[in-house]
Amino acid sequence: MTTTSPTDFDAIVIGAGFSGMYMLKSLRDKLGLNVKVFEAGDTVGGTWYWNRYPGARCDSDAYIYVFTFDKQMLQEWEWSERYPTQPEILRYLEYVAKRHDLKRDIQFGTRVTGAEFDEKADRWIVHTDKGETVTAKYLIPAVGTLSTTNLPDFKGLERFKGKWYHTSRFPKEGVDFTAKRVAVVGTGATAVQAIPEISQQAKQLTVFQRTANYCVPARNGKVSPEVTRARKADYDNIIQRIRESFFGQEHYMIPKSALEVSPEERERQFEQMWDAGGFAFWLGNYQDMFFSAEANEVCADFIRRKIRATVLDPKTADKLMPKGHYYGTKRQPLDTNYYETFNKPNVQLIDAATDGAIEEITENGIRAGGKEYPVDIIVFATGFDAMTGPFKALNLKGRGGRTLDQAWQEGPRSYLGISVVGFPNLFTITGPQSPSVLSNMPVSIEQHVEWVTGLIDHMEKSGKKTVEPTVEAQEQWVGHVNEIVSATLMTSANSWYMSANIPGKPKAFLPYLGPEGVGGYRRKCDEIAAKGYEGFKLSA
Ligand code: NA7
């Protein structure tokens, strides 16, 4: 390759989570490129390095929440549970890093603070918080989709005398909640994992809920050795199935309307999915659930009945009933004793609609609906500036010094969720407008990494200097993403999928949904490659 100095690389990858690790492996070991990875954390893991709150665990089944590029790893690695905890996933990623000798090309404890495209040299100039400036032909942010913390601007937080934490930046040594009065703010997928755990230690737990969620049981537990053995023997087929599936999972929507079957059959089906646990109820339900308000309502009603049957105090059960949004249009939280936790005498629920919204943080606690709730510790489980946040935080400047902020002023605009007009040789792994968060992430990550590797290989072999999408291709993709989702109920929710969780964030649907899921998306990307990277401009 062309690089000579240690500050000039063929490719710079930002982030050493699942995406960055595999991107490094692919470009370095498949293509023989000179690659450098910058990672802010002090080891590999990305999302799984930072999200170490109590109860943090995966909620895809672990046997498919893995890298599939190395067959030996699939056989060797043993998960201890259906949904492994955050420390176990970190151990897995350490094992991958060791086996593929990845750490020698990763600079830890280093955050990329900015990068600009040098149009004369056709290279990216990248700056870090350690004062380094390095250059590369290709820049690949592998920064994750849910990695920019959303800490809402609560009035008075600075005067709070207790301790406070955000779930996505929890102290490594953990937090001892014993004998403490604890508040959890938020009731999304993270809080639903954390609340039952915290309630076991805390003297008193007060949960501040803005929107009640539809939670379904995770049904975590040991996986029998027979099932594990059978899966290991069948991995080739499993890999093919998840790659061709809609959601990168072994869940398939029932090809019937929820309204065409008898109430008895539907109830039987619902109970089966409920017992199976995990995403079965969300991603394996009747196919019109995401499209028809009426079909959706029968699913929602089933969950409400489950809540009513689990939560003993009718007033608390009422507060926990989701209202005002369709089932499945916000990220599905998986619950392990979540609803049961509200039966405990040390747990209370403060609901914005019934009890009043959070007004301010005081010296001693949280004031909501005119009443002060004294606490010693506040845990903010308030989520992320999803999908666009992590890319915008990199302060990227493309052609003509145009920033990504400017390019995405009205919401993300990309081609395939991989590349952006005016930002040559930049590839956004699981970027906005790709399936990403609406799929089992490792499946989408591997697909993006392998596709980008193919494109870079093509560039190198054909002596091209830059690649970027045409305006037409990008506009068509943006239109396609929005057209598909507008036929669903997803656009009606105040979800982070719709950018609705951050005040002032331009309203836009952030991932890509279908029409044939990750399988169809993969085929589309492959077709584009086969046609000589249709929709891209490649310059010599
Ligand atoms: P989420 O799903 O964005 O949940 C955040 C929660 O915090 C949710 O209940 C929010 O209520 C609540 N929230 C956010 N801002 C506020 C303010 N200002 N006041 C009160 N409550 C607020 O993030 P998670 O971390 O739970 O999950 C993120 C993803 O991580 C998850 O989907 C998995 O993919 C892994 P809201 O519903 O917006 O009314």
Side-chain angles (χ1 to χ4, degrees):
M1 291 306 309
T2 48
T3 50
T4 48
S5 128
T7 56
D8 299 319
F9 299 89
D10 297 322
I12 288 173
V13 175
I14 310 171
F18 267 90
S19 315
M21 291 170 72
Y22 187 33
M23 199 71 242
L24 165 62
K25 166 77 191 160
S26 235
L27 294 182
R28 187 192 69 184
D29 296 350
K30 263 192 221 154
L31 303 191
L33 300 192
N34 180 9
V35 186
K36 169 112 179 173
V37 181
F38 290 110
E39 163 57 55
D42 57 21
T43 188
V44 293
T47 291
W48 294 107
Y49 171 84
W50 295 105
N51 284 271
R52 36 180 121 84
Y53 58 86
R57 60 172 79 239
C58 175
D59 39 30
S60 289
D61 283 74
Y63 76 99
I64 50 168
Y65 199 80
V66 283
F67 285 118
T68 65
F69 68 85
D70 176 339
K71 297 276 161 64
Q72 197 182 321
M73 291 200 305
L74 289 170
Q75 295 306 319
E76 234 173 58
W77 185 260
E78 298 286 341
W79 293 110
S80 71
E81 292 178 285
R82 179 173 178 185
Y83 311 103
T85 60
Q86 174 265 343
E88 189 172 353
I89 300 172
L90 264 195
R91 284 199 293 280
Y92 168 72
L93 293 172
E94 290 285 354
Y95 152 80
V96 176
K98 188 157 182 229
R99 183 171 152 76
H100 291 280
D101 194 14
L102 298 179
K103 286 193 180 179
R104 70 180 149 98
D105 294 306
I106 307 175
Q107 182 173 323
F108 294 104
T110 307
R111 188 173 286 281
V112 167
T113 51
E116 60 271 356
F117 186 71
D118 175 351
E119 293 187 65
K120 290 204 185 84
D122 283 332
R123 290 178 75 80
W124 281 94
I125 304 170
V126 179
H127 311 282
T128 77
D129 64 354
K130 296 287 177 291
E132 295 146 302
T133 295
V134 294
T135 76
K137 180 169 175 183
Y138 304 104
L139 180 60
I140 306 163
V143 287
T145 50
L146 297 160
S147 48
T148 302
T149 296
N150 171 36
L151 180 65
D153 188 15
F154 289 115
K155 188 176 141 203
L157 180 58
E158 69 293 342
R159 61 182 180 207
F160 180 58
K161 284 191 175 149
K163 296 243 188 293
W164 65 265
Y165 308 95
H166 192 282
T167 46
S168 69
R169 292 291 180 273
F170 231 62
K172 274 196 191 138
E173 61 285 4
V175 175
D176 187 5
F177 296 106
T178 312
K180 301 287 194 226
R181 297 165 304 174
V182 182
V184 171
V185 178
T187 52
T190 297
V192 168
Q193 289 185 334
I195 285 166
E197 295 292 319
I198 296 174
S199 80
Q200 291 181 35
Q201 261 192 3
K203 180 167 81 183
Q204 160 118 61
L205 172 60
T206 308
V207 175
F208 290 85
Q209 169 182 274
R210 186 165 71 177
T211 309
N213 244 317
Y214 298 91
C215 305
V216 303
R219 309 247 184 257
N220 190 29
K222 299 269 173 229
V223 178
S224 79
E226 297 76 52
V227 170
T228 301
R229 254 198 310 278
R231 282 174 177 162
K232 287 196 179 214
D234 192 36
Y235 254 127
D236 286 347
N237 293 319
I238 291 173
I239 292 167
Q240 194 181 345
R241 286 201 296 273
I242 56 178
R243 287 184 176 186
E244 289 172 4
S245 69
F246 202 102
F247 297 109
Q249 305 262 353
E250 295 209 85
H251 295 298
Y252 305 92
M253 303 300 286
I254 303 166
K256 280 183 193 172
S257 162
L259 307 171
E260 81 185 46
V261 296
S262 69
E264 295 74 26
E265 182 186 334
R266 196 167 56 215
E267 197 72 3
R268 223 176 12 253
Q269 187 68 53
F270 282 167
E271 288 290 353
Q272 246 175 39
M273 294 186 286
W274 196 258
D275 288 346
F279 290 142
F281 199 87
W282 189 36
L283 307 179
N285 216 310
Y286 292 98
Q287 65 179 12
D288 53 348
M289 187 196 85
F290 284 111
F291 298 93
S292 145
E294 219 184 331
N296 191 282
E297 177 53 27
V298 293
C299 306
D301 172 65
F302 179 84
I303 300 183
R304 289 196 204 102
R305 283 186 280 130
K306 290 288 184 190
I307 299 171
R308 177 83 64 207
T310 311
V311 180
L312 301 176
D313 171 38
K315 279 197 187 140
T316 307
D318 273 343
K319 292 188 208 173
L320 287 165
M321 295 292 169
K323 302 162 196 87
H325 69 281
Y326 294 111
Y327 171 60
T329 55
K330 298 183 82 160
R331 167 53 151 79
Q332 173 69 72
L334 292 193
D335 117 58
T336 302
N337 297 327
Y338 177 67
Y339 291 119
E340 288 82 348
T341 298
F342 293 96
N343 293 335
K344 294 172 86 166
N346 66 330
V347 179
Q348 62 173 333
L349 178 65
I350 306 306
D351 173 49
T354 325
D355 305 301
I358 295 178
E359 286 146 9
E360 60 175 341
I361 313 289
T362 64
E363 279 186 17
N364 300 314
I366 297 182
R367 187 187 307 282
K371 188 173 166 197
E372 187 183 49
Y373 298 87
V375 292
D376 307 305
I377 300 175
I378 304 175
V379 176
F380 293 103
T382 45
F384 301 90
D385 181 354
M387 300 206 71
T388 49
F391 293 104
K392 285 187 175 183
L394 296 172
N395 299 311
L396 303 178
K397 288 184 186 153
R399 288 198 190 279
R402 187 171 155 85
T403 66
L404 202 56
D405 247 336
Q406 289 167 331
W408 288 359
Q409 212 163 29
E410 286 159 26
R413 308 192 88 73
S414 81
Y415 183 37
L416 301 172
I418 290 179
S419 71
V420 182
V421 167
F423 293 79
N425 298 1
L426 178 91
F427 306 112
T428 51
I429 304 300
T430 64
Q433 301 178 332
S434 75
S436 59
V437 293
L438 286 178
S439 71
N440 179 27
M441 288 303 283
V443 175
S444 288
I445 287 168
E446 286 195 331
Q447 186 261 337
H448 262 194
V449 166
E450 286 164 13
W451 194 87
V452 167
T453 303
L455 171 52
I456 291 180
D457 192 28
H458 175 76
M459 298 273 299
E460 294 303 305
K461 285 187 176 141
S462 56
K464 303 288 188 212
K465 277 195 153 166
T466 62
V467 58
E468 61 198 295
T470 65
V471 173
E472 298 72 40
Q474 177 166 294
E475 288 313 296
Q476 251 179 31
W477 186 254
V478 173
H480 171 64
V481 169
N482 292 330
E483 187 189 339
I484 298 286
V485 76
S486 65
T488 73
L489 300 171
M490 300 293 281
T491 51
S492 65
N494 283 326
S495 63
W496 57 257
Y497 294 140
M498 287 303 302
S499 319
N501 63 328
I502 309 280
K505 188 167 173 172
K507 189 158 183 186
F509 181 65
L510 297 174
Y512 170 58
L513 179 64
E516 292 163 48
V518 300
Y521 174 78
R522 175 184 293 269
R523 285 191 293 280
K524 172 89 186 157
C525 290
D526 289 347
E527 272 166 34
I528 286 170
K531 289 184 193 160
Y533 294 96
E534 189 181 48
F536 286 94
K537 282 184 291 195
L538 283 80
S539 81

